Amino acid sequence: MNPVNPTLETSWKEALHSEFEAPYFSALKTFLIEEKRKHAVYPPGHLIFNAFEHTPFEAVKVVILGQDPYHGPGQAHGLCFSVPEGIKQPPSLVNIFKEIHRDLQVPIPAHGNLGKWAAQGVLLLNATLTVRAHTAGSHQKRGWEQFTDAVIRKISKERSGVVFLLWGRYAQAKESLIDTTKHHVLKAAHPSPLSAYNGFFGCGHFSKTNRLLKQQGLEPIDWSV
């Protein structure tokens, strides 16, 4: 079975060709096959690379980095922080919408599907792209981080002027992969209820991102969903 998702968007398939052929990715695929034999795994297989499907390599203007997919039924659909329509908004996403409302007066939406952002060039990337049901962090250190670090490095090397939003210490550790002389890095606390009041609320990242995009002559993001 080819480890490359057969529907993976063409520009990413080309950009990440060497990763899909690397030994670690083959080991990751073997692990996932075994996991799926024993456990429920989220998101469903056809949605694992959903972030790449929505946002082609040359279209990336903003990167939001998450850690793990949601591990509850029906939540994860391959876009970090996002949930499909009809699924209750998780607490971190609720706080993201609160900050957008405070920052830009955008109404708080009734659903949590961030696909509209992704279609505008916001790469919604989790560091780990799969998780065992009800077990946070269960697929960490199995190879996904090596893959998504390569994604960040590829964007850093071959693109310019991308705005990276790094929320929380885990995401901020990825700054070392980014050439900050040609990209913009905005850092704040994680939007989780445990830390949002320590600097996520009030960070203004959404208006700041749009200012940085406009300075480059790029279309700002419509942060409504």
Side-chain angles (χ1 to χ4, degrees):
M1 187 172 71
N2 192 324
V4 178
N5 183 310
T7 64
L8 187 64
E9 196 279 327
T10 305
S11 65
W12 283 112
K13 196 179 285 189
E14 293 172 358
L16 302 172
H17 179 72
S18 60
E19 301 304 316
F20 289 120
E21 295 192 341
Y24 83 85
F25 202 89
S26 180
L28 171 60
K29 190 184 76 163
T30 300
F31 163 73
L32 287 173
I33 291 169
E34 186 66 14
E35 272 285 279
K36 288 181 178 183
R37 201 169 62 79
K38 298 177 181 176
H39 308 282
V41 172
Y42 302 137
H46 70 286
L47 293 176
I48 290 172
F49 295 105
N50 202 21
F52 304 97
E53 294 299 320
H54 277 72
T55 315
F57 179 71
E58 65 279 358
V60 175
K61 298 193 290 190
V62 180
V63 177
I64 297 179
L65 188 67
Q67 187 166 356
D68 249 12
Y70 297 122
H71 54 82
Q75 291 181 304
H77 67 140
L79 306 176
C80 75
F81 292 107
S82 180
V83 290
E85 292 183 40
I87 299 293
K88 183 182 178 183
Q89 297 172 10
S92 291
L93 184 56
V94 169
N95 286 340
I96 290 170
F97 289 147
K98 285 180 179 176
E99 175 57 19
I100 293 171
H101 178 67
R102 186 208 64 80
D103 189 18
L104 292 167
Q105 293 73 57
V106 171
I108 292 176
H111 68 85
N113 188 336
L114 305 182
K116 182 178 172 183
W117 297 0
Q120 298 175 79
V122 181
L123 182 66
L124 296 165
L125 183 66
N126 274 317
T128 304
L129 297 188
T130 57
V131 69
R132 185 188 300 175
H134 310 298
T135 314
S138 49
H139 289 185
Q140 292 177 6
K141 299 182 172 60
R142 293 288 185 167
W144 278 131
E145 295 93 337
Q146 190 170 342
F147 176 76
T148 53
D149 281 0
V151 170
I152 296 168
R153 286 194 190 96
K154 193 79 173 177
I155 294 169
S156 177
K157 182 180 179 183
E158 298 190 11
R159 300 293 313 284
S160 62
V162 174
V163 183
F164 290 83
L165 305 184
L166 306 183
W167 299 332
R169 278 178 289 186
Y170 183 89
Q172 288 165 19
K174 304 293 183 179
E175 185 177 9
S176 62
L177 307 173
I178 302 163
D179 182 348
T180 55
T181 67
K182 58 188 248 190
H183 297 285
H184 308 282
V185 174
L186 300 180
K187 294 183 282 190
H190 194 277
S192 159
L194 298 174
S195 54
Y197 287 95
N198 293 329
F200 180 77
F201 289 138
C203 70
H205 277 187
F206 306 95
S207 60
K208 289 175 183 175
T209 294
N210 281 350
R211 279 197 295 274
L212 290 167
L213 293 175
K214 284 192 263 191
Q215 284 168 13
Q216 301 175 68
L218 298 173
E219 193 72 24
I221 305 300
D222 175 0
W223 293 107
S224 68
V225 301

